[in-house]
Amino acid sequence: SYELTQPPSVTVFPGQTASITCSGEKLGENFACWYQQKPGQSPVLVIYLDTRRPSGIPERFSGSISGNTATLTISGTQAMDEADYYCQAWDSRTAVFGGGTKVTVL
Amino acid sequence: QVQLQQSGPGLVKPSQTLSLTCAISGDSVSSYSAAWNWIRQSPSRGLEWLGRTYYRSKWYNDYAVSVKSRIIINSDTSMNQFSLQLNSVTPEDTAVYYCARDREIDAFDIWGQGTMITVSS
């Protein structure tokens, strides 16, 4: 079955840049998207179609794709960005999620 | 403003059927540009997509292989809602269940509030 692989954790200082990768053999063929989830809350879409940002999502969130790896970048990370982040893509009419990355802001 | 409101019991006995409903406001379950999904989340399985229903001149469903033999997703146009039935549940089906919309952007842009479902006798 299709898998998306993320690092379990990323640590960043306030104001610095956090980068979260998501690798999968069909990324690049199929679009990737990213969700932010804080404890006790539903996921929130922060990037879709590899690079697009929904209205209301701060500009410090950006997405990119290179080969089979999608990357979510948080520039000028703030304390409020501490959360779990999940990538997701479609394959053969099935949605697949990555295992999630916990971003800690020290 | 689109909102999804979930309802259903939080406790289900093993071997019985899990049933949840997702009421839609601000959009239509029979929209030609949306699909309506069920997703669950547990510590052991992470986020897991279960299936979807959508209308394109007729109704279509797609289901995850892992639950395909046990799942039914239906729509109710009169109530503007869709539902999840998962049969023959076991404790491994214990999770938070979410409904979510995909508006043809290959992503889930609107989520319900989540329902914690515990499978236990």
PDB file of all heavy atoms in Angstrom, chain A residues 11-14 82 104-106:
ATOM      1  N   THR A  11      12.192  20.392  15.963  1.00  0.00           N
ATOM      2  CA  THR A  11      12.298  21.402  17.017  1.00  0.00           C
ATOM      3  C   THR A  11      12.845  22.687  16.420  1.00  0.00           C
ATOM      4  O   THR A  11      13.789  22.647  15.608  1.00  0.00           O
ATOM      5  CB  THR A  11      13.208  20.902  18.148  1.00  0.00           C
ATOM      6  OG1 THR A  11      12.670  19.689  18.684  1.00  0.00           O
ATOM      7  CG2 THR A  11      13.281  21.935  19.273  1.00  0.00           C
ATOM      8  N   VAL A  12      12.275  23.806  16.813  1.00  0.00           N
ATOM      9  CA  VAL A  12      12.669  25.093  16.231  1.00  0.00           C
ATOM     10  C   VAL A  12      12.594  26.174  17.302  1.00  0.00           C
ATOM     11  O   VAL A  12      11.785  26.093  18.232  1.00  0.00           O
ATOM     12  CB  VAL A  12      11.758  25.422  15.030  1.00  0.00           C
ATOM     13  CG1 VAL A  12      10.306  25.566  15.463  1.00  0.00           C
ATOM     14  CG2 VAL A  12      12.234  26.641  14.273  1.00  0.00           C
ATOM     15  N   PHE A  13      13.453  27.171  17.188  1.00  0.00           N
ATOM     16  CA  PHE A  13      13.397  28.339  18.078  1.00  0.00           C
ATOM     17  C   PHE A  13      12.437  29.364  17.489  1.00  0.00           C
ATOM     18  O   PHE A  13      12.292  29.467  16.254  1.00  0.00           O
ATOM     19  CB  PHE A  13      14.776  28.943  18.269  1.00  0.00           C
ATOM     20  CG  PHE A  13      15.693  28.090  19.096  1.00  0.00           C
ATOM     21  CD1 PHE A  13      16.634  27.266  18.485  1.00  0.00           C
ATOM     22  CD2 PHE A  13      15.621  28.098  20.479  1.00  0.00           C
ATOM     23  CE1 PHE A  13      17.483  26.468  19.246  1.00  0.00           C
ATOM     24  CE2 PHE A  13      16.466  27.311  21.243  1.00  0.00           C
ATOM     25  CZ  PHE A  13      17.382  26.489  20.618  1.00  0.00           C
ATOM     26  N   PRO A  14      11.815  30.149  18.343  1.00  0.00           N
ATOM     27  CA  PRO A  14      10.927  31.206  17.822  1.00  0.00           C
ATOM     28  C   PRO A  14      11.661  32.107  16.846  1.00  0.00           C
ATOM     29  O   PRO A  14      12.819  32.489  17.074  1.00  0.00           O
ATOM     30  CB  PRO A  14      10.519  31.970  19.091  1.00  0.00           C
ATOM     31  CG  PRO A  14      10.683  30.988  20.202  1.00  0.00           C
ATOM     32  CD  PRO A  14      11.840  30.122  19.820  1.00  0.00           C
ATOM     33  N   GLU A  82       3.199  25.650  17.327  1.00  0.00           N
ATOM     34  CA  GLU A  82       3.491  24.352  17.946  1.00  0.00           C
ATOM     35  C   GLU A  82       2.257  23.470  17.796  1.00  0.00           C
ATOM     36  O   GLU A  82       1.166  23.798  18.260  1.00  0.00           O
ATOM     37  CB  GLU A  82       3.861  24.523  19.412  1.00  0.00           C
ATOM     38  CG  GLU A  82       4.294  23.223  20.073  1.00  0.00           C
ATOM     39  CD  GLU A  82       5.030  23.447  21.368  1.00  0.00           C
ATOM     40  OE1 GLU A  82       6.197  23.871  21.333  1.00  0.00           O
ATOM     41  OE2 GLU A  82       4.416  23.190  22.438  1.00  0.00           O
ATOM     42  N   THR A 104       7.886  21.336  17.799  1.00  0.00           N
ATOM     43  CA  THR A 104       8.056  21.938  19.119  1.00  0.00           C
ATOM     44  C   THR A 104       8.786  23.264  18.959  1.00  0.00           C
ATOM     45  O   THR A 104       9.836  23.325  18.308  1.00  0.00           O
ATOM     46  CB  THR A 104       8.854  21.006  20.039  1.00  0.00           C
ATOM     47  OG1 THR A 104       8.166  19.758  20.173  1.00  0.00           O
ATOM     48  CG2 THR A 104       9.024  21.631  21.424  1.00  0.00           C
ATOM     49  N   VAL A 105       8.226  24.309  19.538  1.00  0.00           N
ATOM     50  CA  VAL A 105       8.844  25.636  19.505  1.00  0.00           C
ATOM     51  C   VAL A 105       9.430  25.902  20.884  1.00  0.00           C
ATOM     52  O   VAL A 105       8.713  26.034  21.873  1.00  0.00           O
ATOM     53  CB  VAL A 105       7.818  26.718  19.118  1.00  0.00           C
ATOM     54  CG1 VAL A 105       8.512  28.078  19.020  1.00  0.00           C
ATOM     55  CG2 VAL A 105       7.132  26.369  17.793  1.00  0.00           C
ATOM     56  N   LEU A 106      10.768  25.952  20.944  1.00  0.00           N
ATOM     57  CA  LEU A 106      11.433  26.082  22.231  1.00  0.00           C
ATOM     58  C   LEU A 106      11.362  27.505  22.788  1.00  0.00           C
ATOM     59  O   LEU A 106      11.316  28.470  22.034  1.00  0.00           O
ATOM     60  CB  LEU A 106      12.892  25.648  22.108  1.00  0.00           C
ATOM     61  CG  LEU A 106      13.112  24.148  21.853  1.00  0.00           C
ATOM     62  CD1 LEU A 106      14.592  23.863  21.694  1.00  0.00           C
ATOM     63  CD2 LEU A 106      12.530  23.330  23.010  1.00  0.00           C
TER      64      LEU A 106
END
